[in-house]
Amino acid sequence: MAAEKKGAKSAGKIKIKWAVSAIACPDDMRATIKGLGLRRLHQVVEREDSPETRGMIHKVRHLVEVVG
């Protein structure tokens, strides 16, 4: 019943926002940002909530935000 509510959160999804520029970051962090599907600063993408995605977010946690 709760999943049928209007505006309910999708099961197994997580929203990620690119918040801080990656100009001074190493290439592996830039590749992680790109791997998450982020192309522009302040862009929000929705990805599957998996351990792999969580690990990528953890690696660049100072550059991204998890949006509610």
Side-chain angles (χ1 to χ4, degrees):
M1 197 57 131
E4 295 174 4
K5 283 184 162 180
K6 186 175 183 180
K9 184 178 175 184
S10 301
K13 297 280 187 175
I14 190 168
K15 287 187 179 180
I16 308 156
K17 178 181 178 181
W18 187 3
V20 179
S21 176
I23 289 176
C25 292
D27 290 338
D28 62 330
M29 287 187 186
R30 292 180 195 206
T32 303
I33 291 287
K34 189 174 181 180
L36 285 169
L38 295 163
R39 296 177 179 208
R40 291 175 298 279
L41 201 58
H42 304 296
Q43 179 184 10
V44 178
V45 294
E46 191 171 349
R47 296 287 169 248
E48 291 292 326
D49 189 8
S50 65
E52 294 82 9
T53 305
R54 293 275 179 161
M56 292 172 79
I57 293 169
H58 183 75
K59 182 171 184 172
V60 292
R61 64 189 176 271
H62 58 290
L63 302 177
V64 299
E65 297 174 357
V66 176
V67 183

